[in-house]
Amino acid sequence: MYNPFQANPGGAPAERKAVDLIVFDMDGTLLDSRIDITISINHVRALRHGLPPLSEEEVVDYINREERNLPLLLYGTPEPEPEDRRLFVEHYREQCTRNVHAYPGIPETLAALSERGVTMAVATNASTLFARRMLKHLGLLRHFISVVGADSTGYSKPDPAMLRLLMEETGFRPEEHRGCLVGDSGKDMKAAANAGLERVFARWGYSELQEADRILEKPSDLIELIERG
């Protein structure tokens, strides 16, 4: 993989920026996927368990809880059932691009950051397959050097495993470079702290305000972060 932090030809150090690496959470930060994931979850609930539908608000709340038993909350089963997973994946593979949309200002902000040569990546608790599919559908995938889902490491945020994998892939070193994680949940902020990245909270996302190093009211605020540090 291309290493954006390696020395330039001739041994000169790579150009330094106010921020060397921006890692984005996906759902609730880059894009709003709550309609489609709720539809697919309710499909499994009805077909497999005869349960009534959950609201979008309930699904988002359950998924974003730091301590939770998702199979129990979503399907009423104490343990994950392989058939539930198979049916969800089968349904969501087609459903995931039907209603998903980027938050206002995200496409323009990503384009502006790309033009400035900022290295960007995605770390999401969703699967890598679905993440890449949705980002490609929205025309955003081209901005990211890497997209890492929880399935890539076997650990979800707030565990820092995905972030450390991205650091390894890109050659990013916290002691030498400056990086941040932009996210909308407490899990994102804890993962950033655990990986030695700045915590940047997106106010436009799913969750209530969390403790962070920086707070963004709108996506374009990232431009100021890059330009002024």
Side-chain angles (χ1 to χ4, degrees), residues 40-93:
S40 289
I41 287 170
N42 284 333
H43 174 74
V44 178
R45 284 172 62 86
L47 199 61
R48 287 269 298 150
H49 304 285
L51 294 171
L54 295 172
S55 68
E56 293 170 24
E57 291 73 21
E58 287 173 313
V59 168
V60 169
D61 173 53
Y62 293 162
I63 290 174
N64 282 332
R65 289 183 186 180
E66 292 187 30
E67 301 291 336
R68 79 279 202 269
N69 181 336
L70 270 184
L72 186 61
L73 291 169
L74 298 180
Y75 305 126
T77 63
E79 300 291 335
E81 296 192 359
E83 184 61 18
D84 287 347
R85 175 63 180 170
R86 185 200 66 77
L87 188 60
F88 174 83
V89 169
E90 179 184 83
H91 190 272
Y92 196 55
R93 183 180 291 113

Side-chain angles (χ1 to χ4, degrees), residues 150-225:
D151 56 303
S152 299
T153 64
Y155 296 95
S156 300
K157 294 173 288 185
D159 191 285
M162 282 186 282
L163 302 179
R164 289 174 177 161
L165 176 60
L166 286 171
M167 292 177 186
E168 181 179 347
E169 288 180 345
T170 61
F172 178 94
R173 292 179 294 277
E175 66 275 11
E176 298 180 21
H177 306 114
R178 183 182 174 196
C180 66
L181 170 65
V182 182
D184 73 308
S185 73
K187 290 186 288 187
D188 294 322
M189 299 302 99
K190 289 180 180 179
N194 291 339
L197 298 176
E198 291 184 39
R199 303 166 300 168
V200 179
F201 187 79
R203 288 294 301 269
W204 58 86
Y206 297 150
S207 304
E208 295 181 358
L209 181 63
Q210 303 289 322
E211 182 178 348
D213 301 305
R214 305 270 185 137
I215 297 173
L216 305 178
E217 298 294 335
K218 57 186 184 301
S220 60
D221 289 345
L222 267 172
I223 305 301
E224 181 177 351
L225 177 65

